[in-house]
Amino acid sequence: MTLAGVEPDEHADEESVRDLLAGNLCRCTGYEGIVDAVMAGWGRSR
C-alpha cells in the first residue's frame, strides 16, 4: 500500500511517517490518528 506514491520501506518507523506528514496542516492531536492509520496500513505497530 502506498501513500501518495511513497513506498513503506522508505519510511520504516513512526518518526519517518511524521516527517512525511509534516507538510500538512493539522490542528488535532499531533497526527496521532493519522500516524496510527499509516502505520497500520503498512503493517507496522507503534
Side-chain angles (χ1 to χ4, degrees):
M1 172 186 209
T2 62
L3 174 68
V6 177
E7 292 297 329
D9 292 340
E10 296 175 18
H11 300 279
D13 58 15
E14 181 180 344
E15 183 178 349
S16 296
V17 171
R18 288 182 180 279
D19 287 343
L20 176 66
L21 299 171
N24 297 293
L25 178 62
C26 178
R27 293 189 175 118
C28 59
T29 59
Y31 300 107
E32 294 302 312
I34 300 167
V35 172
D36 288 344
V38 171
M39 297 293 283
W42 286 348
R44 296 185 172 89
S45 60
R46 291 180 69 183

